[in-house]
């Protein structure tokens, strides 16, 4: 039996469909974020990263790095095992308190990633609710879809942000227990859910709510708790999930909610029980980041200003950006090969790194570049970006301004088989 052939065939299939992914070999420069070194085939080169989810540059913040260094020196590099075996490190206890306070909830529960928190969190919650119907937005992230599937309950998918459809499904579920699963900021289209209106429906139909704020924590709301905080509805959402790996700049994921729900997830979730905990140094760094962003608005304001400038520069250049109310700026290309070619030219000739976003992260025909400006992308870098994109668009004869809004995704990134590589998020 030639086992290798199975894998070769699988990878070849991706190549044929132009979905084979390559990742640039990059060294981030903490002193000069968002500058980095690209280990190109011709040797090391300095580049600017325009697609990082370290949205506020907190991964390089001196307080965060120092908390990690200092804690690693005192506690060592690892956690020493699962929390079941080794107990809670004090740093995780402090982090969970900080997160519960951030979202105005009784308790928080930290996991090794946002992916794990969604997968094990959603599946455990729905398994613990007898006869539950899960009602899920069609564009939910792969980790949420994995959680819904793993939960094994009946599911109903509502059209993206469509309140009428959501209401129809809530009505159809009758008196059964219901969990509504949705995101605040959708990461590939950069649009926002009507959280208050979803809570209205949840209250009217007696549903529990689970909200993923992965692309919003740190960045929206007076203390950086996310869009639900900004909209004044945080207390109306039952479970808020987030990541420590994007705007907070570290790694890890979490849930916050009532004491009883958090205690039940802690007691039943395999993705919590059977895996080594986050190291204390990571937890301490995350706590430093969350604390900092509760009080400091400088990063959020700086980011907002630079996002507005990038949007204006791209509009002036006639580039087909999607109109978003968030920090996520997708530029539509509409073809996998052209999208990859555009990114290659940007990197090799303009020293600008933007990862192409192709199927299955987005539907075929809506391939795009996804730009995420941070407060550290200064005006000079923005001018360089606009110039470079203008050059690439002319050189490759890519489509210019059009109504990119109608090309919003119509399938969820997670509808692809689980084994497929997903670059987004
Ligand atoms: N939820 C959403 C909406 C995401 O885009 C991602 C992507 O990374 C995750 C969850 C997973 O979070 P993490 O990267 O911390 O695993």
């Amino acid at each position: 039996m030639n086992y290798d052939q199975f894998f070769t065939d699988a990878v070849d299939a991706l190549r044929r469909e132009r979905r084979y992914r390559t990742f640039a070999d990059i060294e981030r420069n903490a002193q000069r974020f968002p500058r980095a070194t690209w280990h190109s085939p011709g040797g090391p080169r300095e580049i600017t990263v325009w697609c990082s989810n370290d949205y506020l540059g907190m991964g390089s913040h001196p307080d965060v790095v120092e908390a990690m260094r200092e804690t690693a020196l005192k506690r060592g590099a690892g956690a020493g095992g699962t929390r079941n075996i080794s107990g809670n490190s004090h740093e995780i206890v402090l982090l969970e308190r900080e997160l519960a306070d951030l979202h105005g909830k009784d308790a928080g529960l930290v996991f090794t990633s946002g992916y794990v928190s969604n997968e094990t969190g959603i599946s455990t919650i729905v398994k613990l609710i007898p006869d539950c119907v899960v009602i899920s937005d069609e564009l939910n992230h792969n980790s949420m879809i994995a959680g819904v599937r793993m939960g094994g309950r009946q599911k109903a998918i509502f059209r993206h942000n469509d309140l009428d459809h959501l209401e129809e499904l809530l009505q159809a579920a009758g008196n059964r227990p219901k969990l509504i699963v949705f995101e605040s900021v959708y990461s590939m289209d950069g649009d926002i859910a009507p959280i208050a209106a979803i809570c209205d429906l949840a209250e009217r139909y007696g549903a529990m709510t689970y909200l993923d704020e992965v692309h919003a924590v740190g960045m929206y709301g007076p203390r950086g708790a996310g869009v639900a905080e900004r909209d004044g509805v945080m207390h109306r959402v039952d479970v808020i999930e987030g990541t420590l790996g994007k705007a907070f700049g570290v790694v890890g994921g979490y849930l916050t909610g009532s004491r009883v729900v958090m205690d039940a997830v802690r007691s039943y979730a395999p993705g919590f029980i059977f895996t080594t905990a986050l190291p204390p140094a990571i937890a301490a760094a995350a706590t430093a980041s969350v604390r900092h962003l509760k009080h400091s608005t400088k990063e959020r304001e700086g980011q907002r200003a630079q996002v507005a400038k990038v949007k204006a520069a791209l509009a002036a250049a006639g580039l087909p950006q999607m109109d978003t109310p968030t920090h996520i700026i997708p530029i539509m290309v509409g073809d996998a090969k052209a999208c990859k070619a555009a990114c290659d030219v940007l990197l090799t000739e303009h020293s600008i790194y933007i990862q192409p976003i192709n199927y299955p992260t987005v539907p075929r025909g809506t391939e795009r570049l996804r730009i995420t400006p941070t407060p550290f992308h200064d005006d000079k870098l923005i001018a360089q970006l606009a110039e470079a994109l203008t050059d690439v668009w002319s050189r490759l004869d890519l489509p210019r301004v059009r109504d990119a809004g109608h090309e919003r995704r119509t399938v969820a990134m997670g509808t692809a088989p689980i084994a497929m590589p997903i670059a987004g998020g």
Side-chain angles (χ1 to χ4, degrees):
M1 188 75 76
N2 182 356
Y3 286 99
D4 277 356
Q5 197 57 48
F6 298 127
F7 304 103
T8 307
D9 291 349
V11 172
D12 283 350
L14 292 180
R15 284 210 175 87
R16 272 197 307 280
E17 292 173 33
R18 303 194 190 289
R19 291 198 291 119
Y20 181 73
R21 290 165 196 260
T22 52
F23 302 129
D25 176 355
I26 283 175
E27 266 177 47
R28 281 152 54 97
N29 185 333
Q31 269 66 52
R32 301 192 56 222
F33 179 85
R35 305 290 279 166
T37 301
W38 171 41
H39 290 271
S40 79
R45 275 177 56 180
E46 193 172 79
I47 57 162
T48 305
V49 177
W50 273 100
C51 56
S52 174
N53 282 348
D54 186 355
Y55 292 128
L56 301 176
M58 290 303 288
S60 311
H61 192 284
D63 293 357
V64 175
V65 175
E66 183 51 26
M68 187 180 284
R69 195 191 69 86
E70 198 188 305
T71 312
L73 286 175
K74 287 194 287 203
R75 313 269 178 259
T82 67
R83 291 164 73 168
N84 237 21
I85 301 281
S86 303
N88 288 332
S89 71
H90 186 56
E91 286 75 10
I92 284 197
V93 174
L94 296 181
L95 174 58
E96 287 177 342
R97 276 187 207 148
E98 202 66 48
L99 293 167
D101 171 76
L102 177 69
H103 293 289
K105 301 290 179 201
D106 298 343
L109 202 57
V110 167
F111 301 80
T112 47
S113 73
Y115 194 101
V116 172
S117 58
N118 272 334
E119 188 184 48
T120 206
I122 294 171
S123 59
T124 302
I125 288 168
V126 301
K127 276 182 180 160
L128 294 175
I129 306 174
D131 200 29
C132 185
V133 181
V134 192
I135 306 183
S136 176
D137 187 289
E138 68 177 336
L139 292 193
N140 277 341
H141 186 255
N142 182 284
S143 54
M144 304 168 81
I145 293 166
V148 172
R149 283 192 185 138
M150 221 159 102
R153 297 290 186 195
Q154 187 185 332
K155 65 170 192 267
I157 311 296
F158 63 100
R159 285 187 295 276
H160 179 51
N161 281 347
D162 183 334
L163 294 168
D164 292 338
H165 194 207
L166 172 60
E167 182 160 16
E168 240 174 68
L169 298 177
L170 285 163
Q171 265 167 0
N175 287 332
R176 291 173 63 183
K178 300 167 267 293
L179 180 73
I180 304 174
V181 178
F182 64 117
E183 299 180 24
S184 58
V185 173
Y186 286 83
S187 70
M188 291 300 135
D189 288 359
D191 59 338
I192 290 183
I195 303 175
I198 291 177
C199 290
D200 289 344
L201 288 175
E203 284 158 17
R204 191 169 318 141
Y205 291 93
M208 185 172 165
T209 46
Y210 179 106
L211 174 63
D212 174 313
E213 289 256 32
V214 157
H215 292 278
V217 288
M219 286 182 295
Y220 296 87
R223 294 202 309 160
V227 179
E229 184 194 28
R230 184 198 72 178
D231 294 355
V233 292
M234 212 159 53
H235 61 288
R236 298 177 67 196
V237 179
D238 293 302
V239 177
I240 297 181
E241 184 269 350
T243 184
L244 303 166
K246 300 190 193 296
F248 292 130
V250 191
V251 71
Y254 64 89
L255 299 183
T256 59
S258 70
R259 195 161 301 287
V260 65
V261 173
M262 292 304 105
D263 195 33
V265 174
R266 185 187 67 83
S267 307
Y268 281 92
F272 177 84
I273 298 170
F274 298 108
T275 189
T276 299
L278 282 186
I282 300 283
T287 301
S289 185
V290 174
R291 264 187 202 152
H292 179 86
L293 289 175
K294 273 180 184 171
H295 304 291
S296 172
T297 56
K298 190 175 81 180
E299 293 78 9
R300 287 190 276 280
E301 284 159 10
Q303 187 205 32
R304 225 149 275 162
Q306 297 318 95
V307 167
K309 286 180 193 167
V310 172
K311 287 180 176 175
L314 300 185
L319 292 158
Q321 63 182 307
M322 280 168 70
D323 183 19
T324 71
T326 60
H327 59 284
I328 294 167
I329 310 176
I331 308 183
M332 208 45 91
V333 178
D335 174 77
K337 192 174 165 199
C339 198
K340 170 83 170 68
C343 294
D344 287 347
V345 178
L346 280 171
L347 185 59
T348 54
E349 302 198 19
H350 295 280
S351 299
I352 285 176
Y353 177 50
I354 303 175
Q355 180 74 12
I357 309 286
N358 287 343
Y359 177 84
T361 307
V362 294
R364 287 192 176 88
T366 71
E367 291 81 1
R368 64 195 72 176
L369 311 189
R370 174 182 179 272
I371 296 174
T372 50
T374 72
F376 297 95
H377 289 90
D378 61 23
D379 297 359
K380 197 166 144 223
L381 292 178
I382 294 172
Q384 278 167 8
L385 173 74
E387 209 174 289
L389 286 168
T390 304
D391 171 59
V392 169
W393 247 250
S394 313
R395 220 188 300 179
L396 301 180
D397 197 22
L398 297 175
R400 293 242 162 203
V401 166
R402 54 188 172 164
D403 176 19
H406 74 278
E407 286 165 325
R408 289 194 180 283
R409 294 186 308 165
T410 51
V411 298
M413 5 187 335
T415 52
I418 226 90
M420 285 189 176
I422 305 275

